Amino acid sequence: MDPMDSQRNLEGYVGFANLPNQVYRKSVKRGFEFTLMVVGESGLGKSTLINSLFLTDLYSKDYPGPSQRIKKTVQVEQSKVLVKEGGVQLTLTIVDTPGFGDAVDNSNCWQPVINYIDSKCEDFLNAESRVNRRSMPDNRVHCCLYFIAPSGHGLKPLDIEFMKRLHDKVNVIPLIAKADTLTPEECQLFKKQIMKEIQEHKIKIYEFPDTEDADDNKLIRKIKEKMPLAVVGSNVVIEVNGKKVRGRQYPWGVAEEGIFVENGEHCDFTVLRNMLIRTHMQDLKDVTNNVHYENYRSRKLAAVTCNGVDTSKSKGQLTRSPLAQMEEERREHVMKMKKMEAEMEQVFEMKVKEKKQKLRDSEAELERRHEQMKRNLEAQYKELEEKKRVHEDEKANWEAQQRILEQQKLDASKTMEKNKKKGKIF
């Protein structure tokens, strides 16, 4: 016996018992993703049930359900919402199929749904084959809620064909919509008829996993006995005995006698919410990854021949092997780098042209200011020269006048001397 296989009890605390806490903290920090698909005819309450499941108005008057916003053609529409509860954030993707089963001829109306599921698996497979796999968003459909009209007469051929087409691709959970239109006896008979037809046509719906816990197995058996789940959705909040609950009010009954969505005696809504969100969400993701996605991946890789041709497709469409995927990614990276280099060169040239233009404009502005200052200085110089000339003229006139005055004084003094001499003679 290998000594490493024997169980040993440690004498003291080591610390690896804290590993679950580390995984928990990392998971909470990263957040969780879940994709829920709802399929069924229009008017069966799909949008209302989604609002009731997550206790929020994902669809409202401002943002109505896809069945009210899109024309009655089978197409797939997804909407994402980030839901937070108790520090845990969930990226919830709701996939709706407006127009499903509403046409006169419903041949191949399930094909857009199949194409959507396969495309998400293809995206995840391509992401796994990339060199850089750090960011791999999981947009695969983890659960499909199929709404069955409450006819009371069993499954329609469309219901049978749709579930047979999709039971190998996604976790299918059948629901009886608007169960409040059936009496309890009619609902039980309808459930038995549906399960009988599902078994007859070998339709594989979601199988609940067996556990070692007796209480969990007991709960799972109760859920299996209630399949398919009969649900009622409501956007109306009714106050009963001081407690606000989602329910429905009818003309023949008061609030206390109405049907409450969250009451297990009235419908299986609580069972669906507990199973879908609180107990089996991770198992739905695990089954999607380990069963449905692995089957898809095996089919795709098995279909790739040495020439890279997918033999499962009649048109010979190419399916990329990992090496081809790596080579294509390398080419895309090189092309992206060349494009970025060309864009950077273009931006650099544009910046250089702008800088040169600014320098030319600055030079022209400096020359203009220089010429203006030069003209101003020349005008000031001319003005000073003119003032100087006027001053010199005035100075010359003043000097001339002074000389005349000096000459007059000199002449006057000479005359006086002459007169004095004449007076002495006489």
Side-chain angles (χ1 to χ4, degrees):
M1 180 179 179
D2 190 351
M4 297 298 292
D5 294 337
S6 61
Q7 183 176 356
R8 297 184 180 182
N9 295 325
L10 302 178
E11 297 179 357
Y13 177 74
V14 176
F16 60 82
N18 196 41
L19 282 174
N21 296 331
Q22 298 179 28
V23 175
Y24 169 78
R25 289 193 297 269
K26 186 176 181 180
S27 299
V28 170
K29 182 179 179 180
R30 184 174 60 247
F32 300 90
E33 298 173 330
F34 189 73
T35 301
L36 178 64
M37 173 179 282
V38 288
V39 182
E41 300 175 2
S42 300
L44 292 181
K46 300 187 294 296
S47 302
T48 304
L49 183 68
I50 294 300
N51 290 342
S52 302
L53 277 174
F54 295 94
L55 297 179
T56 183
D57 292 333
L58 300 178
Y59 299 117
S60 59
K61 293 182 179 179
D62 298 331
Y63 186 72
S67 299
Q68 301 178 16
R69 287 184 284 112
I70 300 180
K71 296 180 180 179
K72 303 302 182 181
T73 56
V74 180
Q75 53 184 302
V76 180
E77 185 190 77
Q78 70 172 17
S79 56
K80 286 191 176 184
V81 62
L82 182 63
V83 184
K84 294 183 179 181
E85 180 185 28
V88 179
Q89 62 180 14
L90 172 68
T91 302
L92 177 65
T93 304
I94 303 298
V95 182
D96 204 339
T97 54
F100 176 83
D102 294 341
V104 176
D105 184 8
N106 292 311
S107 301
N108 296 326
C109 66
W110 50 80
Q111 195 60 45
V113 181
I114 295 177
N115 293 339
Y116 178 86
I117 296 174
D118 288 344
S119 67
K120 296 306 175 183
C121 291
E122 178 75 18
D123 294 341
F124 195 82
L125 179 60
N126 292 334
E128 280 189 331
S129 304
R130 292 193 182 116
V131 177
N132 184 6
R133 301 192 299 176
R134 292 181 180 178
S135 59
M136 291 176 55
D138 186 7
N139 295 321
R140 296 170 296 181
V141 180
H142 302 116
C143 179
C144 175
L145 299 180
Y146 185 74
F147 287 71
I148 302 171
S151 62
H153 302 294
L155 296 174
K156 299 179 182 179
L158 177 61
D159 301 331
I160 297 173
E161 189 65 26
F162 176 84
M163 288 190 284
K164 287 178 66 175
R165 297 273 182 168
L166 265 74
H167 66 173
D168 287 331
K169 298 179 178 294
V170 68
N171 298 312
V172 178
I173 299 179
L175 302 177
I176 300 176
K178 294 188 175 182
D180 52 338
T181 59
L182 300 173
T183 64
E185 293 78 11
E186 291 174 342
C187 186
Q188 291 300 321
L189 292 175
F190 193 35
K191 285 185 176 184
K192 292 179 180 179
Q193 180 65 25
I194 291 175
M195 292 305 298
K196 179 182 177 182
E197 295 183 9
I198 286 177
Q199 293 174 1
E200 287 178 353
H201 293 89
K202 298 180 180 179
I203 298 173
K204 293 179 288 187
I205 61 176
Y206 172 66
E207 287 290 336
F208 295 90
D210 295 330
T211 61
E212 298 178 357
D213 192 299
D215 294 335
D216 291 343
N217 285 330
K218 184 178 179 181
L219 177 63
I220 290 174
R221 283 196 299 270
K222 288 184 178 180
I223 297 176
K224 289 182 177 180
E225 292 173 358
K226 290 179 175 291
M227 296 296 291
L229 301 178
V231 295
V232 178
S234 175
N235 290 330
V236 180
V237 178
I238 303 175
E239 186 172 351
V240 181
N241 297 327
K243 181 181 178 181
K244 293 184 177 180
V245 295
R246 288 179 179 258
R248 302 183 71 87
Q249 183 73 38
Y250 298 95
W252 55 84
V254 295
E256 289 81 6
E257 298 174 357
I259 290 183
F260 303 118
V261 170
E262 299 180 1
N263 191 332
E265 297 179 357
H266 294 168
C267 66
D268 299 329
F269 171 81
T270 306
V271 177
L272 173 65
R273 184 173 64 185
N274 293 339
M275 179 272 296
L276 188 63
I277 302 174
R278 301 178 184 178
T279 60
H280 288 79
M281 177 179 284
Q282 186 59 43
D283 185 70
L284 288 167
K285 298 177 66 175
D286 292 340
V287 173
T288 299
N289 183 71
N290 300 331
V291 179
H292 300 299
Y293 172 69
E294 285 299 322
N295 291 337
Y296 175 85
R297 180 175 175 273
S298 300
R299 290 194 301 268
K300 295 295 291 186
L301 296 181
V304 177
T305 63
C306 58
N307 295 326
V309 179
D310 188 350
T311 57
S312 64
K313 296 184 179 181
S314 58
K315 295 183 179 180
Q317 185 178 354
L318 293 181
T319 301
R320 295 164 291 187
S321 64
L323 293 177
Q325 178 74 17
M326 292 174 60
E327 181 65 22
E328 182 178 351
E329 289 183 8
R330 189 190 67 81
R331 288 196 300 268
E332 290 179 357
H333 180 70
V334 171
M335 292 178 61
K336 183 178 179 180
M337 294 301 296
K338 289 183 179 179
K339 183 179 179 181
M340 290 177 61
E341 184 179 358
E343 291 177 354
M344 292 178 65
E345 290 180 355
Q346 185 178 1
V347 171
F348 178 75
E349 291 178 357
M350 183 176 65
K351 293 291 184 182
V352 170
K353 289 181 181 179
E354 291 179 356
K355 193 66 176 179
K356 287 183 178 180
Q357 185 63 34
K358 287 183 179 179
L359 290 175
R360 286 195 293 267
D361 294 342
S362 299
E363 184 179 2
E365 179 65 18
L366 289 174
E367 290 181 357
R368 186 188 64 79
R369 292 174 61 183
H370 176 71
E371 292 295 331
Q372 184 65 29
M373 292 177 64
K374 185 177 179 181
R375 287 193 296 268
N376 293 338
L377 290 174
E378 289 178 353
Q380 292 179 5
Y381 178 76
K382 290 180 180 179
E383 184 179 356
L384 290 174
E385 287 291 330
E386 181 65 22
K387 289 182 178 181
K388 181 180 179 181
R389 185 184 63 77
V390 172
H391 176 70
E392 289 178 350
D393 292 344
E394 291 179 351
K395 180 180 178 182
N397 292 334
W398 182 79
E399 289 177 350
Q401 291 178 359
Q402 290 296 324
R403 286 194 298 270
I404 293 172
L405 290 175
E406 290 292 333
Q407 186 65 35
Q408 289 178 354
K409 288 181 179 180
L410 183 60
D411 293 342
S413 61
K414 289 180 179 181
T415 303
M416 289 178 64
E417 290 178 358
K418 286 181 180 182
N419 290 336
K420 289 180 179 180
K421 289 180 179 182
K422 286 180 181 183
K424 290 179 178 181
I425 296 175
F426 293 106

